Amino acid sequence: MKVNTGHLTYCTNIHAGKNWDEDFNALKQNFPIVKQNVAPTEALGLGLRLSHAASLQLQNAAELELFKQWLQENDAYVFTMNGFPYGDFHHTIVKADVHAPDWTTDDRKDYTIRLFHILKSLVPEGMDGGISTSPLSYRHWFKTPQALKEATEKATLNIIEVIKLLAAIKYEQGLLLHLDIEPEPDGILETGREFIDWFEQYLLPIGIPEIKNFFSTTDQEAEAIIKQHLCLCYDVCHFAIGYEDHEAVLAELEHKNIRVGKIQISAALKANLNGSAEKKQQIRQSFNTFNEPTYLHQVVALQNNGDVKRYQDLPEALDDFENKDTKEWRAHFHVPISIQDIGLLQSTQSDINTVLELQKARPFTNHLEVETYTWEVLPEQLKLPIAQSISNELNWVIDTLA
């Protein structure tokens, strides 16, 4: 739906589908309820997540036409997609494999190109379309600085091939499509700083000659093409976990003319650890209730000296819970954005408020997407029926923006 700073939707990776048939059935079951609760009298957007298998099905012209007809009948539209998880995303152990295949592979490039061909036939006239994607790869797969550098270069070349396609679509059809890189804990690109440095130290130096030669343009025109079609996906949960200064990151992006493709509106877990020994043990137990085996739940611990310590997953952090130098934990577990207090823990909802205030004051994107993919693995006390949970989150955003 249209809100005062852009188009608002939710990411359908909250629905547990392994193929397009399951995805479509979940939409048919849940979307009408969400729409009635959130936007009964106006069109509501969908942030579509398609696995590799689902994308192979939906690229079929007949399947795509059926979906487009359903969108029309249900007053729905698609303007953004989540192209980060390639394979199964529920009912299996995902962990670091959420990055696989990564951007060093043709499989990731071809999958993303397929998603863009689907998206270009779905985006309403007059709108731009974006697809969020992995931050190149999982950094711990590369054991030396040289291996990490080579992976970054290879991933960048594959991304440039996608940019070429998007620029050609813009030239031929006038449709603006963009690939939105999503930094996250333990990605090759983990923070706003790393994204900007990669953009300036890898993407532009490698990409400008490639784009210049491919389209016979000037250096300046090639840079403009890259900046039009490669954006940042600002996942608030991920930036909050790293204690990032939202205002400073966004100001630097604006100064350097690097666009934000979309805000993923999401919340992490946090807790202050400076209480009594008894309370700290209760907080440890509270975190332990979120220690589930499906996804990686990295922890960033703020130290008393202002530094941060990173843990690759929640069990590793729990083993080091007695660390005397730590004063706060933030854990990568997407919790409902409409909830601030979760027993002895809190969510990073205040970071969402900060980002949405910045968006209201000076809009930096027109794509806003709520993402709480962990619904199935939430502790039972946090679960509502899924359509009600989605509705609550969208309505919370609408009220916050208002």
Side-chain angles (χ1 to χ4, degrees):
M1 68 175 294
K2 191 79 166 66
V3 292
N4 59 355
T5 65
H7 292 266
L8 175 64
T9 184
Y10 76 95
C11 184
T12 64
N13 65 358
I14 196 172
H15 302 306
K18 289 188 292 186
N19 54 51
W20 175 241
D21 292 334
E22 292 183 7
D23 289 343
F24 202 10
N25 284 334
L27 290 177
K28 290 173 180 175
Q29 180 178 348
N30 293 288
F31 181 80
I33 302 170
V34 174
K35 186 173 186 311
Q36 183 59 38
N37 290 338
V38 174
T41 61
E42 58 182 303
L44 179 62
L46 272 175
L48 197 61
R49 185 263 160 168
L50 299 174
S51 67
H52 166 66
S55 70
L56 291 172
Q57 288 178 270
L58 193 54
Q59 73 174 348
N60 176 277
E63 289 283 359
L64 193 55
E65 193 55 42
L66 278 175
F67 181 50
K68 289 168 74 172
Q69 183 179 339
W70 180 86
L71 289 170
Q72 186 174 11
E73 290 170 352
N74 287 271
D75 203 10
Y77 61 99
V78 175
F79 62 93
T80 186
M81 296 173 68
N82 186 334
F84 194 146
Y86 177 98
D88 291 351
F89 196 53
H90 298 274
H91 305 158
T92 186
I93 296 175
V94 178
K95 296 291 184 181
D97 284 341
V98 71
H99 293 273
D102 66 13
W103 271 106
T104 67
T105 68
D106 286 343
D107 284 345
R108 170 63 66 172
K109 178 186 69 178
D110 294 345
Y111 162 66
T112 305
I113 287 172
R114 189 182 316 121
L115 292 182
F116 273 115
H117 281 302
I118 293 169
L119 181 61
K120 75 178 182 181
S121 69
L122 296 175
V123 176
E125 187 175 352
M127 291 186 62
D128 62 304
I131 296 177
S132 51
T133 191
S134 155
L136 309 190
S137 186
Y138 183 63
R139 68 170 60 212
H140 297 297
W141 288 339
F142 308 99
K143 303 304 182 185
T144 66
Q146 182 61 27
L148 190 64
K149 182 175 184 291
E150 290 172 0
T152 303
E153 290 172 347
K154 189 172 184 180
T156 303
L157 282 167
N158 277 330
I159 285 170
I160 290 163
E161 290 304 303
V162 177
I163 293 172
K164 290 176 183 176
L165 168 72
L166 304 185
I169 291 171
K170 178 70 164 57
Y171 177 76
E172 294 164 5
Q173 301 179 23
L175 173 61
L176 174 59
L177 299 174
H178 42 88
L179 182 64
D180 305 332
I181 302 289
E182 181 184 339
E184 81 158 30
D186 292 334
I188 286 182
L189 306 180
E190 189 168 42
T191 64
R193 174 80 276 131
E194 290 180 351
F195 171 80
I196 293 170
D197 289 347
W198 166 76
F199 200 106
E200 295 185 322
Q201 297 169 17
Y202 286 89
L203 183 63
L204 292 180
I206 296 172
I208 287 174
E210 287 278 332
I211 298 296
K212 178 182 176 180
N213 293 336
F214 190 80
F215 290 106
S216 300
T217 66
T218 65
D219 285 358
Q220 291 78 12
E221 289 167 336
E223 180 174 341
I225 287 170
I226 292 168
K227 287 186 171 181
Q228 188 169 53
H229 297 290
L230 194 288
C231 304
L232 171 68
C233 172
Y234 201 105
D235 188 306
V236 184
C237 167
H238 300 164
F239 281 74
I241 292 165
Y243 295 89
E244 299 204 46
D245 182 333
H246 303 293
E247 187 170 9
V249 172
L250 292 168
E252 184 174 357
L253 290 168
E254 182 180 23
H255 175 70
K256 294 181 173 179
N257 195 28
I258 301 173
R259 297 172 57 231
V260 175
K262 74 175 168 187
I263 305 170
Q264 276 186 331
I265 305 170
S266 53
L269 284 171
K270 69 177 182 179
N272 187 302
L273 306 184
N274 279 339
S276 66
E278 181 182 2
K279 186 175 181 181
K280 283 185 67 173
Q281 284 307 309
Q282 292 171 343
I283 289 172
R284 185 188 189 282
Q285 185 54 43
S286 296
F287 273 112
N288 195 51
T289 63
F290 290 87
N291 185 18
E292 60 81 36
T294 305
Y295 307 108
L296 279 177
H297 300 297
Q298 298 94 336
V299 172
V300 179
L302 181 64
Q303 307 296 283
N304 290 317
N305 64 2
D307 293 339
V308 295
K309 182 174 182 179
R310 296 179 179 273
Y311 301 90
Q312 292 180 35
D313 205 355
L314 187 52
E316 176 190 348
L318 288 168
D319 287 344
D320 194 38
F321 191 81
E322 298 301 327
N323 189 318
K324 303 295 188 206
D325 295 326
T326 300
K327 67 177 182 179
E328 185 180 90
W329 266 19
R330 294 190 177 186
H332 182 203
F333 196 118
H334 286 226
V335 291
I337 63 171
S338 55
I339 300 173
Q340 171 62 49
D341 295 307
I342 306 167
L344 292 175
L345 310 182
Q346 298 82 45
S347 79
T348 56
Q349 187 191 78
S350 62
D351 285 76
I352 300 175
N353 285 317
T354 297
V355 172
L356 292 183
E357 284 297 322
L358 292 167
Q359 168 74 358
K360 281 198 297 183
R362 191 180 181 90
F364 52 88
T365 181
N366 61 349
H367 289 187
L368 295 88
E369 178 185 61
V370 172
E371 191 199 25
T372 312
Y373 62 82
T374 50
W375 183 85
E376 285 210 340
V377 297
L378 286 172
E380 288 301 318
Q381 68 268 24
L382 292 181
K383 277 190 182 181
L384 294 172
I386 189 167
Q388 185 61 53
S389 182
I390 296 165
S391 301
N392 286 357
E393 300 207 315
L394 289 170
N395 281 323
W396 181 86
V397 175
I398 292 167
D399 291 342
T400 301
L401 287 171

